Amino acid sequence: MIKGMILGAGEGTRLRPLTSNHPKPMMPVLNRPIMEHIVRLLKRHNITELWCNLYYLPDEIQNYFGDGSSLGVCISFKVEERLPGTAGGVKNLEEYFDDTFIVISGDAITDIDLTSAINFHKEKGAIATIILAHVENPLEFGVVITDEEGRIVRFLEKPGWSEVFSDTVNTGIYILEPKIFDFIPKGKDFDFSKDLFPLLLENRQPLYGFIADGYWCDVGNIESYIKVHYDALSGKVKLDIPGQEITPGVWVGRGVSISSSASIRGPVLIGDNVQIKDLAKIREFTIIGDNTLIDTNALLLRSIVWSNSYIGESSTVTNAIIGKKVIIKGRVRVGENAVVSDECFVDEGTFIKPGVKVWPSKSIEKGTVLSSSLVWGTGWRKLHFSNGTIFGLANVEINPEFAAKLGTAFGGILEKGSEVVASRDANRSSRMIKRAIVSGIASAGVNVVDLQTTPPPVAHYFARTEGLSGGVQVSTSPFDPRSVDIKFFDSLGITINRDTERKIETLFIREDARRTYLYDIGEIRYAPRAVESYIAGFLSKINIDAIKNVGKKVVIDYSFGTTSMVLPSILGRLGCEVVSINAFIDERKLAKTREEFLFGINQLSQIVTTLRADLGILIDSQGEKIFVVDEKGSLISDEDLAYILAFLAIRTQARKDVAFPIYMPRAFEEGLKHYGGNIVWTKSSDRAIMEASTRDYIVFASDGRGGAIFPQFQFTYDGMFGFVKLLEFLATENIPLSQLRDLVPPYSLVKSKVNCPWEHKGRVMRELLEKKYDNNVDYTEGIRVLTEDGWFLVLSDPNRPEFHIYAEGKAIKQAERLAQEAVEIVNSIIPKE
């Protein structure tokens, strides 16, 4: 029986960065390692007893193939201590080859008829037969000339163009007799092409060449790696393509989910458990590895994506290679012949230019234009806090490993033995991530009170009233069901400050967080009466009798969130007639698109008017924000609701100060002043607004976006308390909500935004601050320019490559003119590409 020897010791340096983490034989072609295709070829020709020498990253090959039984062969491995040359590697296994045997490279793709070559070898009585092929460019190979009998008469390894004498080249596949070992010295680097074959020619040994008709491609560089995929999908090489051909040229693996609105044009190969989302476009000659997710409206053309990767919404990958466990966020462009290697993170709006190569484990910031290869860098991507929150794609960017490390960093900034609270929404991703975070916190010697599925306001209240050091809440992002938010808060239950964020970031990046001994690991306990404690504190701050005496009729949309576990118990004690909608938990509906939100408001409005209710409330799924419809079914704007709640607060409180962020209308200042009120202006962040609410003289604070804070109860947004407090105000004032709305002073506020690449945002702010203005300027945050007709404000968005523009005028036309002036100023600073 013919035995086989697979050469698997090469480092594949010309394929870097793809081979930085993988030996060349393990490079996937059609979602299978190159070497597996070789093993399958050998088996088809009844060559099943195999040896393979290894050197570079040998464990990956050994772990994948094992003993070869899963492929119907028997494989034995020898790990070389140093590279012995191709012939030297075979010499090291001389004892196993006592009859004719075949040597084949583990990093080429071929369907050559090995049986015919073996028969030719035996017919000629050769000591060695080289299988030959015709190629267009012979410079990278050994060039060969044979006589009419097939005997090799001339051989030259890797010639220059001036030396080329043929397009017939050595494929690296050899059929050999054991006598060949007499010509290979032991313990010396010795190569087939450079050393052995010239020696055989010199000694007039029977060295033959078999010119094969089949396909052969040495996968020696990035270009040939891409080409071999095109050839395989075009049918130029006979390979076993995994999966089922569901339509001509479209092969699909097991467990694949493809949206009905996705578009696929073959030939393509889609691996096992791949998900292809709405409107995604998979175009010809694309290969997608197992367990990869292609998100909404993404485009893949002539590209190779390895396993366990993510291609974000509206991203485009053209004629490029994406490695394993790569995260490509939304609106990214990857140019032709670019390579993004394993475990890289490419943030939103990035453009990777054609031909650029990104080495493994690199992080590319938002909006980057990458025009040169990225080799050096760190493994873990930097944390990006926004208002005390870290957010990212669930189980992609934010996976259990990331979450556990983050929990360890959070625990590491706290005193050993201190205690924090942890809670989550009803989504299974949130549960998984929260458990990982809790494990990390406990590993740092910090105790955890696990409230399990609980609305954030309850967790914030528990942290403050129980004297804990802070806490963490894990929730579905409000506008993206694919993403998860991890929000940290301090001992007051308010968003952590920037200094605390930096401390967490530092420990996360340095990876030197505190590790505790066995019995110092933090304890994890539960608090089954946390909700009851919250309700008791809640009701102690409400005029229950006033609400009962009036008996309001209300419609509540719970948005499928966890407030449906808490608020009904409160309303049951207030004597309200309540109509509830979406009052059950549904993990698939916790996030809302803008269209879904407007549909919900329209539905709420119709129910309120039909049932003649006093008002309707939509509470967001986290229980932090409220959106209100009056008895006429009209939606009260966020700004109007903030003013109404502030007006009612100062009407019923001895203290008269309220806190609003800098972007709110200045018309409110005069309106509240008429009733003895005063506005304390804050920065726009949640932390700034909440921090202001902790001051003794503040009776109310709002972000003007549905968030309401009543400091007499707690210092954070609480939609449930805000709603019931509104009921109390309406009861004590005995006035319909629509009439309260009429008390809001008229204002003209215009909002706009300007897109700006990340690399130019600092320049824009600098030049805005340096600019000489004819009017007064407020530098509280961003830049607010005051004019005779009003003001405009330019604020940099902390999470997106854009600026927000706010403008208020005495009339709408003046506000629009001021907004346009601000837009033009910003655009004039942004460099034009």
Side-chain angles (χ1 to χ4, degrees), residues 299-366:
L299 168 64
L300 272 67
L301 169 65
R302 293 177 174 266
S303 294
I304 303 158
V305 181
W306 290 8
S307 62
N308 297 90
S309 289
Y310 170 80
I311 309 298
E313 184 173 350
S314 299
S315 288
T316 300
V317 182
T318 305
N319 199 36
I321 302 172
I322 308 298
K324 286 186 177 181
K325 299 181 181 179
V326 172
I327 298 171
I328 291 181
K329 294 292 292 295
R331 305 187 312 280
V332 170
R333 290 180 294 157
V334 183
E336 291 193 4
N337 295 315
V339 177
V340 182
S341 304
D342 295 356
E343 299 182 5
C344 284
F345 174 83
V346 184
D347 214 338
E348 293 181 351
T350 295
F351 177 28
I352 298 176
K353 288 193 171 183
V356 167
K357 295 177 175 59
V358 183
W359 258 246
S361 303
K362 300 298 174 287
S363 178
I364 303 174
E365 301 296 314
K366 289 182 181 179

Side-chain angles (χ1 to χ4, degrees), residues 436-456:
I437 292 173
V438 167
S439 297
I441 294 172
S443 75
V446 174
N447 301 317
V448 182
V449 182
D450 189 350
L451 297 187
Q452 300 175 291
T453 306
T454 307

